[in-house]
Every structure is written in structure tokens, then in C-alpha cells.
């Protein structure tokens, strides 16, 4: 998905979201100014609300943008119980001590807006959560000889999604003054159609055969097609014995 901000044709910028897997967007809103996109997706059977934003570089414009567009969405009581991922170029750093090198010009007003989002929706700066409070990483370099470095691009993720996140990193892009930021969510593991609950039967013969099949599969002693056939036989045996146990009960 590519979301480009092109208000000023002389200085174009934007956000590019790349997903390894196909994502079906269920709802989408792009603001008229081209500064953010709000969309809803379903990942791992979870409905996740997303905002990708590109905040203005100028402080006053940025604060106005947050107050008029982003804060009303993220502090709406109807959104409190939802799961959220907010990503983009926030154009200010959260912590000047560890997120910036060079000019020290903190934007407390923008930080206050983000603080409201974090408190209302229990959002976490997932890169910082994973890499620790003292880790230094920067997503933008500028100024003379690139002496100014800052982490102005980040992921804010609902705390309830933290267990689904495998990693979050900063990756050098090369073709932009910004680096890429990545977020890897664990893909839901499909339940095997050959999985059999052997704990529900008391039949010792079944357990013996089942153990032999599972061990052969793990050690690679049998071809896949042979294992599938034996699983079918096991399933029939399990169903038969399960019915017998029910009749005896």
C-alpha cells in the first residue's frame, strides 16, 4: 500500500506500507489534506484499527494537525476497547535524551497529544519496548554532514497486541533521508487437519499405534503419503473406540 502526501509538489513525501501477506482492508478513510489514512483490517482473527500518518514538519502546523485530526479519533470513547496500530512520521521525538542527536528543540505540545493517545488506548512504542530504554536507533538524518539524527518514525501498538509481535526494527533504506521501520506480527498457526486428541481415549492399542506414527514422522522414516494414510486409520480407530466408550459409560 502506498500513501503519498503531495500538498507541496516541490517537496513530496509520504508513507509506504508493505505487507508480506495480502491484507483485506475492510474500511478506509483518507483525509483531504493527504496527511493520514485510517483503515481497518482483520489479522489472525483480530479486528485491528490502523492509522498511517505523515505529520507536518512545522511545529504549529503539526500541533494543529494532531488536535484537529488524530486526537479526536484516538480519544473517542468508542475506540477505547479496540486494538490499534499507529505508524508514521510523527516529526518529533518522544524522548530527546535517547531518540535524538544534535539540535535539542523538544516539542512538548505534540508530545502531550501523543501522551493522551497512549493513556487512552494503552499504546506502546513497540520498538522501545523490545530494544530497551537505553537503546539508540534513528530513522532520520539531516543537517550539515548529517549531524542531526532522530527517531521520528515509530509504531504505537495496543498493549493487547504485544504478544503477537515478533520483532520491530529500523532498516536502512538508502533511497530516502528516512530509514524504514518494520513490524513483524506472528502469523496465526493453522490447526493441522491431522491433529488427533489422543487424551480422550483409554484404548492402549490406539495409543501404541499413535506413538509409533508420531515418532516415525518426527524421525523422517516414512513418506508423507504413508503418514497421511496411517493418520486416516488412526482417526477411524479413535472414532470407533470413542463411540464404544460412550456406549459403555
Amino acid at each position: 500500500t502506498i500513501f503519498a502526501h503531495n500538498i507541496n509538489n516541490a517537496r513530496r513525501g509520504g508513507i509506504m506500507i508493505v505487507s508480506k501477506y495480502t491484507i483485506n482492508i475492510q474500511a478506509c478513510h483518507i483525509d483531504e489534506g493527504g496527511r493520514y489514512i485510517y483503515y481497518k483490517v482483520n489479522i489472525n482473527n483480530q479486528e485491528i484499527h490502523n492509522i498511517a500518518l505523515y505529520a507536518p514538519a512545522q511545529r504549529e502546523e503539526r500541533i494543529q494537525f494532531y488536535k484537529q485530526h488524530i486526537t479526536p479519533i484516538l480519544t473517542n470513547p468508542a475506540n477505547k476497547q479496540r486494538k490499534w496500530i499507529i505508524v508514521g512520521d510523527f516529526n518529533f521525538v518522544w524522548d530527546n535524551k535517547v531518540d535524538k542527536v544534535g539540535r535539542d528543540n523538544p516539542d512538548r505540545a505534540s508530545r502531550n497529544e501523543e501522551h493522551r493517545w497512549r493513556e487512552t488506548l494503552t499504546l506502546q512504542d513497540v520498538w522501545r519496548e523490545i530494544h530497551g530504554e537505553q537503546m539508540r536507533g534513528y530513522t532520520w538524518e539531516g543537517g550539515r554532514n548529517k549531524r542531526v539524527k532522530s527517531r521520528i518514525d515509530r509504531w504505537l501498538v495496543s498493549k493487547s497486541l504485544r504478544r503477537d509481535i515478533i520483532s520491530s526494527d529500523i532498516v536502512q533504506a538508502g533511497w530516502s533521508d528516512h530509514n524504514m521501520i518494520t513490524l513483524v506480527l506472528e502469523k496465526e498457526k493453522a490447526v493441522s487437519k491431522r491433529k488427533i486428541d489422543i487424551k480422550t481415549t483409554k484404548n492402549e492399542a490406539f495409543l501404541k499405534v499413535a506413538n509409533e506414527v508420531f515418532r516415525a514422522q518426527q524421525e523422517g522414516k516414512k513418506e508423507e503419503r504413508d503418514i497421511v494414510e496411517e493418520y486416516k486409520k488412526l482417526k477411524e480407530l479413535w472414532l470407533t473406540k470413542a463411540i464404544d466408550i460412550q456406549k459403555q459409560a
Side-chain angles (χ1 to χ4, degrees), residues 38-220:
Y38 172 27
Y39 59 101
K40 182 174 68 175
V41 298
N42 190 289
I43 300 175
N44 291 346
N45 293 319
Q46 300 181 91
E47 184 180 271
I48 302 176
H49 293 250
N50 303 260
I51 288 180
L53 60 86
Y54 176 39
Q58 298 301 317
R59 181 178 303 211
E60 294 304 320
E61 292 181 20
R62 180 168 60 250
I63 296 169
Q64 185 178 17
F65 164 69
Y66 286 142
K67 288 185 175 181
Q68 290 186 356
H69 298 284
I70 306 302
T71 298
I73 296 173
L74 299 182
T75 58
N76 186 332
N79 290 327
K80 190 171 184 178
Q81 300 303 319
R82 292 170 174 169
K83 297 182 179 182
W84 286 88
I85 295 178
I86 295 99
V87 62
D89 178 357
F90 291 76
N91 254 317
F92 76 96
V93 300
W94 177 257
D95 188 340
N96 270 49
K97 293 180 180 178
V98 294
D99 291 331
K100 193 170 186 177
V101 173
R103 294 190 299 265
D104 186 10
N105 190 19
D107 183 356
R108 293 184 177 86
S110 293
R111 192 182 187 280
N112 287 340
E113 293 303 307
E114 183 174 324
H115 179 73
R116 291 181 63 189
W117 316 337
R118 292 192 184 203
E119 288 294 309
T120 302
L121 301 176
T122 320
L123 300 173
Q124 295 181 334
D125 178 348
V126 70
W127 185 89
R128 180 61 66 200
E129 288 290 324
I130 291 173
H131 296 281
E133 292 298 323
Q134 300 305 315
M135 182 69 171
R136 291 180 177 269
Y138 308 106
T139 64
W140 178 83
E141 296 180 350
R144 183 178 295 180
N145 298 322
K146 295 186 177 181
R147 292 180 180 177
V148 181
K149 301 179 181 181
S150 59
R151 190 170 68 91
I152 57 178
D153 307 88
R154 52 188 172 272
W155 298 90
L156 299 179
V157 179
S158 293
K159 186 177 180 180
S160 58
L161 287 172
R162 179 63 183 86
R163 61 183 176 82
D164 297 316
I165 296 172
I166 297 174
S167 65
S168 179
D169 293 294
I170 299 171
V171 181
Q172 188 171 2
W175 38 265
S176 171
D177 57 347
H178 287 257
N179 289 325
M180 294 184 292
I181 54 175
T182 65
L183 182 72
V184 180
L185 293 172
E186 183 178 20
K187 189 178 182 184
E188 187 178 42
K189 297 178 181 178
V191 178
S192 172
K193 293 181 180 179
R194 301 196 300 269
K195 184 176 179 181
I196 302 172
D197 185 1
I198 62 175
K199 296 179 181 179
T200 57
T201 178
K202 300 177 182 178
N203 184 272
E204 293 182 3
F206 170 83
L207 294 177
K208 182 180 179 180
V209 177
N211 287 329
E212 290 176 357
V213 174
F214 296 154
R215 192 178 300 111
Q217 183 182 23
Q218 291 175 350
E219 295 175 359

Side-chain angles (χ1 to χ4, degrees), residues 216-233:
Q217 183 182 23
Q218 291 175 350
E219 295 175 359
K221 292 181 179 180
K222 294 190 177 184
E223 295 291 334
E224 180 76 9
R225 59 178 180 274
D226 296 329
I227 294 173
V228 171
E229 290 302 316
E230 290 190 329
Y231 267 108
K232 289 180 181 178
K233 293 177 183 178

